[in-house]
Amino acid sequence: MTITKTAFGQTPDGQTADLYTLTNGNGMKVQITNYGGIITSIVVPDKNGKFEDVALGYDNLADYIKNSPYFGALIGRYGNRIAGGKFTLDGKEYKLFINNDPNSLHGGKKGFDKVLWKAEPVEGADVVGLKLTYLSKDMEEGYPGNLNATVWYFLTRDNELQIKYEATTDKPTVVNLTNHSYFNLAGAGNGDVLDHVMMLNADRFLPVDKTLIPTGELRPVKGTPFDFTTPTPIGKNIKADDEQVKFGNGWDHAWVLNKPKAGELTLAARVVEPTSGRMLEMYTTEPAVQFYSGNFLDGTTVGKGGKPYKFRYAFCLEAEHYPDSPNQPKFPSTVLRPGETYRQTTVYKFSTK
Ligand code: BGC
């Protein structure tokens, strides 16, 4: 297992971002830059041993800085949407940047995906990894409290990419961290993902309004197009005549994960690409997963190797607390107080079938 480092490019304020390459004994390779904590590539074998990069992204830092729909990035301080870009905590109202009219999305104008993290390689008996730290200052992007965030990426001997998050604060705040990797198990840029077959371990999902804010209802998936409790092609019901499917322009919703005990690391999703046989299993401690089917990709984004990323050329499985939790007291809390430690673990396990 090895980890190596090369320069990746300069940030607009003249700092150097590095690119770390993690490899294990099976030839699986993961590349991560400390700019935004972005996973830039994940190279895994298919059922015949042919390797492909299954993560969407760019060849160089400049393209990430110019325009990226959060390819591979760490998302914070709050993953997904906060309604109206505001919330009240302990009687005080906080205003956020509205970057997804009329809401605030993925941390605001300059979220954790656009900052330079401090990076430190770590090596264990069965893993090779990268530890990233970032201090988000009090009132940065409108969020209260100095937040010390730490994220570990680990590549294991059995082709798992583990992500561990921790955060502490010196004032009450809200936290919802995730990773926004875009996957295509046939290889990034090699067609759409509608034939990928997916299972979501979720009996309920969160219906949304037109602006993709949860209505507060936890709706059973049974009898709706949102039922992925058994393996189902992603494209099967994506054009269903259903208000919720239309609001998302396809899949862009949070599914509530079946979890015997809150905070337990359990299977959230299993996705298989039938031709290559590549399989991705996701485990998480989080209560929900935002399943997004690349509905905003439109071919104008040209990615690694000059390949255009077209409509629905990828899927994202973002482990998280429910969107808009700071405004919805009935949802599991995303409030972090001084003395507490925010923790989440998500595992993406690659294999073949
Ligand atoms: C959101 C989508 C958004 C995408 C990229 C997802 O988490 O739910 O609505 O377009 O991220 O920004």
Side-chain angles (χ1 to χ4, degrees):
M1 312 252 265
T2 58
I3 178 163
T4 59
K5 169 176 136 177
T6 54
F8 194 43
Q10 296 278 117
T11 63
D13 57 357
Q15 291 176 280
T16 301
D18 292 312
L19 186 69
Y20 293 84
T21 303
L22 287 60
T23 49
N24 69 9
N26 314 320
M28 177 168 169
K29 187 174 96 177
V30 177
Q31 288 185 301
I32 301 161
T33 172
N34 60 325
Y35 175 80
I38 295 171
I39 299 172
T40 63
S41 77
I42 303 174
V43 178
V44 288
D46 71 2
K47 61 185 175 196
N48 301 315
K50 184 170 172 259
F51 284 81
E52 279 271 7
D53 185 351
V54 297
L56 273 63
Y58 298 116
D59 285 318
N60 58 71
L61 182 68
D63 283 347
Y64 281 104
I65 291 171
K66 202 164 47 181
N67 174 33
S68 172
Y70 306 95
F71 286 145
L74 290 177
I75 306 293
R77 193 177 293 198
Y78 198 94
N80 210 278
R81 292 174 177 79
I82 295 184
K86 56 184 181 199
F87 66 94
T88 301
L89 179 58
D90 296 341
K92 201 170 164 223
E93 186 177 83
Y94 295 94
K95 288 207 165 72
L96 310 169
F97 187 77
I98 294 180
N99 57 341
N100 188 249
D101 197 24
N103 305 315
S104 186
L105 176 68
H106 295 335
K109 188 170 188 186
K110 190 175 178 188
F112 290 8
D113 59 296
K114 295 180 185 69
V115 301
L116 202 64
W117 293 66
K118 245 189 236 144
E120 197 188 311
V122 285
E123 275 168 87
D126 287 303
V127 295
V128 63
L130 189 66
K131 178 184 178 189
L132 298 172
T133 50
Y134 177 65
L135 167 65
S136 169
K137 297 239 174 77
D138 186 25
M139 293 313 286
E140 183 174 302
E141 286 295 326
Y143 292 95
N146 287 297
L147 188 84
N148 268 302
T150 306
V151 179
W152 290 265
Y153 285 114
F154 293 113
L155 174 64
T156 70
R157 289 193 192 282
D158 47 1
N159 291 7
E160 284 183 8
L161 174 58
Q162 303 177 344
I163 315 176
K164 292 194 177 171
Y165 306 75
E166 265 183 31
T168 54
T169 183
D170 60 0
K171 282 187 195 152
T173 189
V174 294
V175 190
N176 192 24
L177 307 182
T178 193
N179 176 276
H180 208 307
S181 285
Y182 284 67
F183 301 104
N184 184 323
L185 300 179
N190 297 346
D192 67 44
V193 295
L194 300 181
D195 291 338
H196 284 51
V197 177
M198 184 178 71
M199 185 284 297
L200 290 179
N201 186 13
D203 291 339
R204 293 169 299 172
F205 78 107
L206 301 181
V208 290
D209 68 13
K210 268 198 247 95
T211 75
L212 299 183
I213 293 294
T215 60
E217 181 192 348
L218 276 65
R219 187 179 293 174
V221 295
K222 204 165 186 223
T224 78
F226 290 79
D227 189 353
F228 284 95
T229 53
T230 55
T232 306
I234 287 176
K236 186 175 170 215
N237 292 313
I238 206 165
K239 288 185 189 144
D241 186 14
D242 175 281
E243 184 182 67
Q244 281 301 316
V245 177
K246 286 194 181 127
F247 282 171
N249 190 26
W251 314 120
D252 193 354
H253 302 74
W255 271 256
V256 176
L257 296 171
N258 300 334
K259 225 172 249 292
K261 203 166 136 237
E264 245 178 356
L265 185 71
T266 53
L267 181 70
R270 181 181 290 127
V271 189
V272 177
E273 196 284 303
T275 309
S276 65
R278 286 194 192 89
M279 176 155 97
L280 168 60
E281 286 172 306
M282 180 207 196
Y283 298 80
T284 187
T285 54
E286 287 299 287
V289 60
Q290 181 82 9
F291 166 49
Y292 166 61
S293 51
N295 311 310
F296 291 101
L297 297 173
D298 61 6
T300 53
T301 307
V302 178
K304 287 176 275 188
K307 288 186 181 172
Y309 296 148
K310 301 185 193 162
F311 192 45
R312 297 179 176 153
Y313 262 39
F315 65 93
C316 302
L317 290 168
E318 302 148 58
E320 60 186 23
H321 270 57
Y322 307 173
D324 197 36
S325 298
N327 292 308
Q328 308 219 20
K330 288 194 182 140
F331 286 177
S333 174
T334 51
V335 175
L336 182 72
R337 297 188 180 275
E340 300 172 344
T341 302
Y342 165 92
R343 285 194 179 89
Q344 89 110 311
T345 300
T346 295
V347 177
Y348 294 110
K349 182 175 171 56
F350 294 89
S351 58
T352 58
K353 208 185 153 169

